[in-house]
Amino acid sequence: MSNSCIFCKIVSNEGNASIVYQDEQVTAFRDIHPVAPTHILIVPNRHIDSVGMMQPEDEQVVGHIFSVARKLAEQEGISAGGYRLITNTGPHGGQTVLHLHVHLIGGQRMKYPMG
Ligand code: 5GP
Ligand code: ZN
C-alpha cells in the first residue's frame, strides 16, 4: 500500500473512478480516458508495482484478475465479439501508473497500439 498511489486511493474509494466491481482481492473501474466503448482497469487491492515486481504469492490474485475480466466482459456484452487484455510493464512497456493493472478493452474491433 502506497499513500501516493492513485490506484490504491481508488481501491479505498478515495480516487477519481467509477468502480464497476470490487471483492476482497481486486477492484475494477472505468478508465478515465477510454480508448474504446468498454475500457475497464482491473487491479489487485494490495499494491504490487508491476508484473516485474510480482512475487510467487501474487500468482493467485493475478489469475483472479483474469477471471474477473471474463465476467465483466460478459456483463458489458462484449464476450461474443471478443476483447483485449493489456498489461503494460515498466517504462518501455508504456506503464504510466505504478500499480499493477490489466486493461479490459472492447466494444469495437481492436487496432494497435491500444483500443
Ligand atoms: P498504463 O499506461 O499504466 O498501462 O495505464 C494507466 C491507465 O490509467 C491509463 O489508461 C489512464 O487513462 C488511467 N488512469 C490514470 N489515472 C486515472 C484515474 O485517476 N482514474 C481512472 N479511472 N483512470 C486513470
Ligand atoms: Zn497502489
Side-chain angles (χ1 to χ4, degrees), residues 1-2 5-8 47-48 98-99:
M1 170 74 182
S2 155
C5 172
I6 57 173
F7 286 0
C8 280
H47 183 96
I48 305 168
L98 211 63
H99 180 133

Side-chain angles (χ1 to χ4, degrees), residues 1-2 32 40 42 55 62 64-65 71 81 88 99 103 107 115:
M1 170 74 182
S2 155
I32 206 164
I40 292 171
I42 311 165
Q55 300 298 311
V62 172
H64 185 55
I65 285 175
K71 287 181 198 149
N88 297 321
H99 180 133
H103 298 253

Side-chain angles (χ1 to χ4, degrees), residues 6-7 16 29-32 41 88 94-97 101 103:
I6 57 173
F7 286 0
N16 180 14
F29 52 92
R30 297 202 186 274
D31 196 292
I32 206 164
L41 301 173
N88 297 321
Q95 186 178 11
T96 59
V97 178
H101 51 281
H103 298 253

Side-chain angles (χ1 to χ4, degrees), residues 5-68:
C5 172
I6 57 173
F7 286 0
C8 280
K9 286 205 177 79
I10 288 171
V11 166
S12 328
N13 273 292
E14 291 161 13
N16 180 14
S18 158
I19 293 177
V20 294
Y21 175 83
Q22 189 164 45
D23 63 23
E24 60 286 345
Q25 295 188 81
V26 304
T27 300
F29 52 92
R30 297 202 186 274
D31 196 292
I32 206 164
H33 293 126
V35 298
T38 291
H39 188 168
I40 292 171
L41 301 173
I42 311 165
V43 309
N45 293 342
R46 188 162 50 78
H47 183 96
I48 305 168
D49 274 359
S50 67
V51 170
M53 297 298 281
M54 266 182 74
Q55 300 298 311
E57 61 267 27
D58 299 326
E59 285 180 7
Q60 197 274 332
V61 71
V62 172
H64 185 55
I65 285 175
F66 275 74
S67 289
V68 168

